[in-house]
Coordinates of all heavy atoms in Angstrom, one line a residue:
H73 N 190.9 108.7 80.3 CA 189.6 108.4 80.7 C 188.8 107.7 79.5 O 188.1 106.7 79.7 CB 188.9 109.7 81.1 CG 187.7 109.6 81.9 ND1 187.0 110.7 82.4 CD2 186.9 108.5 82.2 CE1 185.9 110.2 83.1 NE2 185.9 108.9 82.9
H77 N 189.9 103.9 80.4 CA 188.8 103.5 81.3 C 187.5 103.2 80.6 O 186.9 102.1 80.8 CB 188.6 104.7 82.3 CG 189.7 104.8 83.2 ND1 189.8 104.1 84.4 CD2 190.8 105.7 83.2 CE1 190.9 104.5 85.1 NE2 191.5 105.4 84.4
Y81 N 185.3 99.5 80.0 CA 183.9 99.1 80.2 C 183.3 98.4 79.0 O 182.5 97.5 79.2 CB 183.1 100.4 80.5 CG 183.4 101.0 81.9 CD1 183.8 102.4 82.0 CD2 183.3 100.3 83.0 CE1 184.0 103.0 83.2 CE2 183.5 100.9 84.3 CZ 183.9 102.2 84.4 OH 184.1 102.8 85.6
H121 N 179.3 106.9 80.3 CA 180.4 107.7 79.7 C 179.9 108.1 78.3 O 180.3 109.2 77.9 CB 181.6 106.8 79.6 CG 182.4 106.7 80.9 ND1 182.1 105.8 81.9 CD2 183.3 107.6 81.5 CE1 182.8 106.0 82.9 NE2 183.6 107.1 82.7
W171 N 178.4 109.3 90.5 CA 178.0 110.3 89.5 C 176.9 111.2 90.1 O 176.1 110.7 90.9 CB 177.3 109.6 88.3 CG 178.2 108.7 87.5 CD1 178.6 107.4 87.9 CD2 178.8 108.9 86.2 NE1 179.4 106.8 86.9 CE2 179.5 107.7 85.9 CE3 178.8 110.0 85.3 CZ2 180.2 107.6 84.7 CZ3 179.5 109.8 84.1 CH2 180.2 108.7 83.8
Ligands
LIG1 MN1 184.8 107.7 84.3

Side-chain angles (χ1 to χ4, degrees):
H73 198 172
H77 291 276
Y81 289 126
H121 284 89
W171 299 74

